[in-house]
């Protein structure tokens, strides 16, 4: 595991974007595993900027996203489908037919999850998987649990996640209670993983996840067992650990 400490969110975003850009340049037809949440937005902005300058070409890239809320229509501005279009896909030359997310509009959870696992497998898995991390250490929507779920599955969101995400919705009642997410096994099958973390409010979880025992109670701790992980975090997020 390589840990890059950056001064602030802006520098974290630049560094993360450069890891993603390096992947796209090295393998133009790569599969990028992408993430939502507020943390990766700055990195997406940088990628768009570099695309506009002519330094990046997404025309052959395939993407697979980590997760999606269950039950939100795609046109809902809080769906992750909407988020990805808004924050990245609409601004670069990616072939949208090659961008995949779990189908949150599919009411049959088993069907939706099986279909998505199959999509990820059929594209050969992610060459590079980008992750954020929730305050409770969740990755994708894999919440703290007694075991590490393997494949794409339907989750009941933790109360703390509903609380953290309600800022994006008109009211708490509108936050979906369930989501489809890649499993820990799906995430760990990526060839390379890049996790971005910002802010002092995640410092304690960073310490637990990367310097504590590997446990499903802190889902991100599993990354300690992956052979190629890059952590890009700002000083505030790394303030509880010594490097
Ligand atoms: C969301 C997403 C995660 C994301 C996390 C952190 O619930 N499902 O993929 O990493 O929460 O979000 P943020 O970056 O806004 O703190």
């Amino acid at each position: 595991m390589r840990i890059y400490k950056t001064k602030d969110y802006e520098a974290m975003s630049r560094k993360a974007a450069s890891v993603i850009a390096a992947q796209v340049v090295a393998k133009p037809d790569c599969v990028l595993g992408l993430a939502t949440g507020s943390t990766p937005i700055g990195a997406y902005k940088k990628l768009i900027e570099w695309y506009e300058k002519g330094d990046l070409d997404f025309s052959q890239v395939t993407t697979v996203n980590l997760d999606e809320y269950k039950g939100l229509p795609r046109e809902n501005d809080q769906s992750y489908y909407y988020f990805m279009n808004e924050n990245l896909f609409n601004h670069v030359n990616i072939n949208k037919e090659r961008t995949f997310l779990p189908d949150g509009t599919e009411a049959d959870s088993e069907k939706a999850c099986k279909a998505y696992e199959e999509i990820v497998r059929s594209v050969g898995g992610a060459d590079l998987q980008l992750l954020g991390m929730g305050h409770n250490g969740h990755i994708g929507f894999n919440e703290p649990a007694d075991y590490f779920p393997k494949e794409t599955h339907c989750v009941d969101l933790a109360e703390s996640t509903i609380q953290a995400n309600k800022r994006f919705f008109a009211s708490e009642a509108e936050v979906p209670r369930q989501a489809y997410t890649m499993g820990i096994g799906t995430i760990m099958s990526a060839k390379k993983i890049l996790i971005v973390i910002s802010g002092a409010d995640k410092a304690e979880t960073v310490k637990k996840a990367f310097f504590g025992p590997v446990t499903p109670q802190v889902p991100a701790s599993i990354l300690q067992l992956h052979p190629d992980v890059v952590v890009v975090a700002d000083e505030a997020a790394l303030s509880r650990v010594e490097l």
Side-chain angles (χ1 to χ4, degrees):
M1 176 174 285
R2 250 171 309 152
I3 302 183
Y4 290 107
K5 182 170 163 168
T6 65
K7 198 170 152 284
D8 51 20
Y9 177 80
E10 168 66 21
M12 179 209 76
S13 300
R14 215 167 38 238
K15 177 64 101 182
S18 67
V19 175
I20 300 168
Q23 174 67 64
V24 175
V25 170
K27 189 179 176 192
D29 60 348
C30 65
V31 177
L32 295 179
L34 297 178
T36 56
S38 53
T39 316
I41 291 177
Y44 292 150
K45 283 208 171 97
K46 281 280 154 218
L47 292 174
I48 293 166
E49 198 181 304
W50 296 338
Y51 162 74
E52 285 170 349
K53 279 191 186 149
D55 291 338
L56 277 177
D57 173 17
F58 290 89
S59 62
Q60 296 176 66
V61 169
T62 297
T63 66
V64 284
N65 258 77
L66 283 170
D67 47 13
E68 176 62 283
Y69 285 117
K70 180 179 174 184
L72 281 192
R74 289 180 166 170
E75 55 282 5
N76 184 302
D77 64 2
Q78 290 310 319
S79 77
Y80 287 168
Y81 176 91
Y82 191 98
F83 175 104
M84 289 312 302
N85 282 329
E86 205 52 14
N87 288 292
L88 183 64
F89 302 153
N90 285 348
H91 310 284
V92 296
N93 65 338
I94 199 158
N95 174 359
K96 287 218 189 145
E97 290 183 2
R98 303 292 307 163
T99 65
F100 300 100
L101 290 96
D103 182 1
T105 65
E106 172 58 68
D108 180 340
S109 302
E110 209 184 308
K111 193 171 160 198
C113 295
K114 256 199 174 149
Y116 196 62
E117 194 66 27
E118 188 42 45
I119 288 172
V120 177
R121 198 169 302 148
S122 72
V123 300
D127 290 295
L128 173 66
Q129 176 68 57
L130 172 65
L131 298 175
M133 184 180 77
H135 289 94
N136 60 4
H138 75 227
I139 48 176
F141 266 132
N142 290 277
E143 301 281 22
D146 294 334
Y147 64 96
F148 290 111
K150 227 174 140 207
E151 301 196 324
T152 303
H153 59 290
C154 180
V155 284
D156 294 327
L157 300 182
E159 185 53 33
S160 60
T161 301
I162 293 167
Q163 291 304 323
N165 289 354
K166 73 176 183 197
R167 63 199 152 122
F168 301 118
F169 292 83
S171 74
E172 186 182 331
E174 283 181 32
V175 187
R177 267 41 187 179
Q178 288 189 311
Y180 298 141
T181 181
M182 281 187 188
I184 294 290
T186 330
I187 293 171
M188 289 291 278
S189 69
K191 294 177 190 77
K192 184 181 185 85
I193 292 178
L194 165 64
I195 182 162
V196 287
I197 310 160
S198 171
D201 49 330
K202 290 189 179 159
E204 193 54 41
T205 312
V206 163
K207 187 176 173 188
K208 285 191 194 142
F210 306 125
F211 297 85
V214 174
T215 164
Q217 294 301 335
V218 186
S221 66
I222 193 78
L223 300 177
Q224 295 180 43
L225 304 181
H226 192 282
D228 192 358
V229 175
V230 178
V231 179
V232 182
D234 61 17
E235 275 173 12
L238 290 168
S239 58
R240 299 295 304 270
V241 297
E242 271 177 44
L243 292 176

